Amino acid sequence: MLSRSGLTASQSIALADAWLVNDDFLLADLPDPFDVVIGNPPYVRQERVPDVLLTEYRSRYTTIYDRADLYIPFIERSLRSLTNGGVLGFICADRWMKNRYGGPLRNLVSEQFHLKVYVDMVDTPAFHSEVIAYPAITVIARERGTSTRIAHRPPVEAKALHALALDLTSSHRPEKGSAVQLIAGVASGAEPWILDSSDQMVIIRRLEATFPLLEDTGCKVGIGVATGADKAFIGLMDELTVEEDRKLPLAMTKDIADGTVKWRGLGVINPFADDGKLVDLARYPLLKRYLELRKEQIAGRHCAQKVPANWYRTIDRITPSIAETPKLLIPDIKGQAHIVFEEGKLYPHHNLYYITASQWDLKALQAVLLSSVTRLFIATYSTKMHGGFLRFQAQYLRRLRLPRWSDVPQALKTALINAADVRDLAACNAATFQLYGLSRQEKAALGGDGD
């Protein structure tokens, strides 16, 4: 390009050598500050980064937290490299905006920068290849400001994008009918960003200010067992040739596919005693024989290699009382809430979350969780997956707000239970709207008719 512009070959090489740097961006000595940083940072899990390198990254970047992906320190370095008034524009995975590991980076943005623009690219062909975790376009400036211009799922067409760009960069408020919304207070400390409609954000904030967290009302959120070797630990109950007290009936996603429990007869091996320690295999000859026949597969797992003496443990401890406790089962990835009542016979597999309750009636709670209020909470805090699916993970379920069961009128308790019994979603919504005292306008914002 330089040569075609009239420069000599030697001039072109000299400029290219000065302008282009092939190095590790997180370690390179760069001549910052910069007025503009633009990028599509790498999306790399920590497990793929050598330990020595990850340790060095952690020593330099305060936002590497929990299981943060590598794009987190890329954003941190880029932000810290900006001049006053400088601007960063990235397109990358949007998970950090809501999940646990993004907290320190969100806090950095809230305290020292201005989230100017957010463009949701869910179900939008931003890249030539298909991606699972959809990206977002984010523009962040080193300046003070509280309002964010937000657009959702723009058509990837030149005319539409040109008009969108003008609206996103305008100094005036978006006109009525514009694809752009202006929302204040999106970046608030380390809290997940609420990037949907301002009407719905108002509902979320009111419910959060009015009602206690789900787990403060006698409910508990958990996740099923991960074994690390399902083919060895899981099978048909009749074919698991171990002592009867060393296996438990197992609930998997396919067992609750139609909204009710239809157990397919699978079970899981339990290598743990009641005290949480591994059982002595010498006392369980059938279990010992069963496990040793599969030792190569079981002992090859990371958790087994880490502590060879405990080679036959499942990744998660198994607590049999969980199987015996009535619970609500919730698959991780779903387009809508899929909440199934299980009476207390099955142990959940790791692709199922579960909720138990010491005070709330589980059927009434099921109605609340099936409602559009719960979907609003999950959609607000969850990252969206391919096809607009949501993650019904423990970290998002724990953000739900719920009145205390003792504060719910008897007639409303009955209405919630009846709605769940017949799986009438409209009735679940009506009773839940009453439970939270939603106004006509709030009901309308949730897709209700306002009545």
Side-chain angles (χ1 to χ4, degrees):
M1 290 176 66
L2 293 171
S3 296
R4 287 199 301 270
S5 298
L7 278 71
T8 66
S10 60
Q11 289 172 326
S12 299
I13 291 170
L15 284 173
D17 283 345
W19 289 348
L20 303 180
V21 178
N22 181 16
D23 206 340
D24 184 334
F25 177 69
L26 298 179
L27 302 179
D29 184 16
L30 298 176
D32 54 31
F34 296 97
D35 297 313
V36 178
V37 178
I38 299 173
N40 170 214
Y43 188 46
V44 181
R45 294 184 181 277
Q46 286 187 19
E47 300 87 82
R48 295 175 56 190
V49 180
D51 290 344
V52 173
L53 194 54
L54 186 59
T55 299
E56 181 61 28
Y57 290 160
R58 286 185 181 277
S59 71
R60 298 187 183 208
Y61 300 102
T62 61
T63 58
I64 302 180
Y65 170 67
D66 196 43
R67 300 179 63 81
D69 285 87
L70 205 60
Y71 66 81
I72 293 292
F74 266 76
I75 297 174
E76 179 184 343
R77 176 158 205 195
S78 299
L79 288 173
R80 295 192 189 279
S81 298
L82 292 174
T83 58
N84 289 330
V87 180
L88 170 148
F90 268 14
I91 180 169
C92 74
D94 62 2
R95 290 180 174 175
W96 71 276
M97 301 173 190
K98 294 187 176 184
N99 68 12
R100 175 182 167 86
Y101 72 61
L105 181 55
R106 291 193 298 271
N107 193 59
L108 175 66
V109 172
S110 175
E111 291 185 347
Q112 300 182 32
F113 298 88
H114 174 204
L115 175 62
K116 296 186 69 173
V117 171
Y118 165 83
V119 182
D120 165 22
M121 302 296 284
V122 170
D123 285 334
T124 300
F127 300 114
H128 291 293
S129 58
E130 191 171 295
V131 294
I132 296 176
Y134 275 94
I137 296 170
T138 311
V139 178
I140 304 171
R142 187 185 281 276
E143 63 184 28
R144 300 314 300 161
T146 59
S147 295
T148 304
R149 289 178 181 263
I150 295 176
H152 295 278
R153 308 180 188 184
V156 184
E157 302 166 357
K159 184 177 180 181
L161 292 176
H162 177 70
L164 178 63
L166 292 176
D167 273 354
L168 290 173
T169 56
S170 171
S171 59
H172 303 291
R173 292 188 67 85
E175 296 182 2
K176 189 174 182 180
S178 169
V180 174
Q181 284 187 303
L182 191 64
I183 298 182
V186 172
S188 177
E191 285 296 300
W193 291 353
I194 298 181
L195 297 155
D196 296 304
S197 81
S198 55
D199 290 344
Q200 292 183 345
M201 185 170 76
V202 169
I203 297 173
I204 289 286
R205 293 300 186 222
R206 182 181 76 77
L207 297 184
E208 289 178 336
T210 306
F211 299 101
L213 289 164
L214 177 77
E215 291 195 323
D216 290 338
T217 65
C219 301
K220 183 173 176 57
V221 180
I223 186 171
V225 61
T227 69
D230 281 358
K231 289 184 178 179
F233 285 101
I234 295 173
L236 291 170
M237 280 287 282
D238 294 341
E239 296 176 5
L240 295 175
T241 53
V242 300
E243 290 77 5
E244 285 300 313
D245 64 341
R246 293 298 96 209
K247 57 185 177 181
L248 292 165
L250 187 71
M252 302 187 77
T253 300
K254 288 184 179 180
D255 295 314
I256 60 171
D258 70 350
T260 60
V261 177
K262 288 185 173 61
W263 183 51
R264 294 172 302 141
L266 293 176
V268 61
I269 299 290
N270 178 19
F272 292 91
D274 291 342
D275 62 3
K277 298 178 181 179
L278 288 170
V279 297
D280 181 356
L281 291 182
R283 297 180 57 193
Y284 292 93
L286 294 179
L287 176 63
K288 180 179 180 180
R289 182 173 182 275
Y290 180 95
L291 293 173
E292 287 184 342
L293 285 172
R294 296 159 179 80
K295 185 168 183 177
E296 183 177 352
Q297 179 184 359
I298 297 172
R301 300 167 302 150
H302 175 72
C303 64
Q305 293 178 346
K306 195 172 180 181
V307 186
N310 296 343
W311 65 272
Y312 55 96
R313 67 163 291 147
T314 50
I315 292 176
D316 299 318
R317 175 191 168 186
I318 293 178
T319 306
S321 60
I322 292 174
E324 300 163 1
T325 304
K327 65 192 81 67
L328 299 176
L329 299 177
I330 307 167
D332 180 356
I333 302 176
K334 281 288 178 181
Q336 300 288 339
H338 192 73
I339 316 295
V340 179
F341 174 75
E342 195 282 304
E343 60 184 350
K345 294 183 178 179
L346 305 176
Y347 203 95
H349 190 228
H350 74 89
N351 54 6
L352 290 173
Y353 292 91
Y354 65 89
I355 298 179
T356 58
S358 61
Q359 298 170 27
W360 263 77
D361 180 281
L362 279 175
K363 287 293 185 74
L365 183 58
Q366 182 183 20
V368 176
L369 296 178
L370 285 168
S371 75
S372 56
V373 175
T374 291
R375 192 183 193 287
L376 172 62
F377 267 95
I378 300 298
T380 296
Y381 289 114
S382 161
T383 53
K384 295 181 178 68
M385 307 301 288
H386 179 59
F389 283 74
L390 302 174
R391 305 297 303 273
F392 285 79
Q393 294 179 315
Q395 61 178 318
Y396 308 129
L397 292 168
R398 290 189 178 108
R399 286 191 165 272
L400 298 176
R401 299 288 172 150
L402 194 66
R404 299 189 187 282
W405 183 242
S406 58
D407 294 336
V408 181
Q410 185 57 50
L412 187 51
K413 290 179 179 179
T414 302
L416 288 165
I417 293 168
N418 291 342
D421 272 336
V422 295
R423 295 188 65 78
D424 183 336
L425 297 185
C428 289
N429 270 338
T432 302
F433 290 174
Q434 184 181 346
L435 179 74
Y436 289 108
L438 297 190
S439 68
R440 185 184 183 90
Q441 292 77 14
E442 288 173 330
K443 295 175 188 177
L446 287 173
D449 59 12
D451 293 336

